[in-house]
Amino acid sequence: MKTINFDNGVREYALNGDEKNVIRVNVSDVNLMHRLAQLENKVNEMLGSAQTDELTGEALFKLDTELKAAVNEAFGADICTPAFGTVNCLSPVSDGRTIFESFFEAFLPAIKEDIESFAKVRAEKAAAYVSAAEEFE
């Protein structure tokens, strides 16, 4: 079988230095920022509702499932399994934040840097195309 190799915009992020536990995200996807904005709204809505509800074990399980589904949908890939495994993403970590908060506070700056890098390359390419087109006029 032949193999075709090309840059498809996917970047890999090893979690906590473990290169066997990797998240893959297509940071060149021009729809990603829109989906992340939608995700932020969904998460805020879910967590806002949870603050007014009684958080029983069943409610926490349901919220964990819904949050993970929303995150995976936004990224177009399963990033929650490598990030959280079977742990409820609302579980607290040593500093009192949830593992969900801890993960995204580390992950978002890294992915933002890669998204901005791709956006810069796209802008440069677009400027080159416009310049070339203007020469033919």
Side-chain angles (χ1 to χ4, degrees):
M1 176 184 302
K2 291 184 180 183
T3 300
I4 299 171
N5 297 310
F6 65 99
D7 184 357
N8 61 357
V10 173
R11 295 297 174 260
E12 296 182 343
Y13 304 90
L15 300 178
N16 294 323
D18 182 356
E19 294 194 8
K20 293 181 181 176
N21 192 21
V22 175
I23 291 174
R24 291 173 182 81
V25 176
N26 189 332
V27 295
S28 70
D29 180 354
V30 295
N31 291 328
L32 181 59
M33 293 306 292
H34 176 74
R35 291 194 313 269
L36 290 179
Q38 289 179 320
L39 173 63
E40 182 178 16
N41 292 337
K42 283 182 187 177
V43 168
N44 288 335
E45 184 179 308
M46 285 184 225
L47 294 178
S49 296
Q51 290 177 357
T52 60
D53 295 341
E54 183 180 337
L55 291 180
T56 63
E58 185 62 32
L60 285 169
F61 179 82
K62 181 180 177 193
L63 185 55
D64 170 67
T65 303
E66 291 171 354
L67 283 169
K68 288 175 179 176
V71 168
N72 288 342
E73 181 181 342
F75 284 96
D78 181 6
I79 68 165
C80 291
T81 299
F84 310 119
T86 59
V87 173
N88 187 308
C89 67
L90 299 172
S91 298
V93 292
S94 60
D95 63 3
R97 294 177 297 157
T98 65
I99 192 171
F100 185 85
E101 293 168 309
S102 180
F103 168 71
F104 275 101
E105 286 176 13
F107 183 51
L108 289 179
I111 195 170
K112 180 181 177 190
E113 182 179 315
D114 286 340
I115 290 169
E116 288 172 352
S117 175
F118 267 90
K120 181 180 175 187
V121 169
R122 277 193 303 267
E124 290 169 358
K125 293 278 187 190
Y129 291 136
V130 169
S131 178
E134 289 174 346
E135 290 179 17
F136 288 109
E137 289 182 0

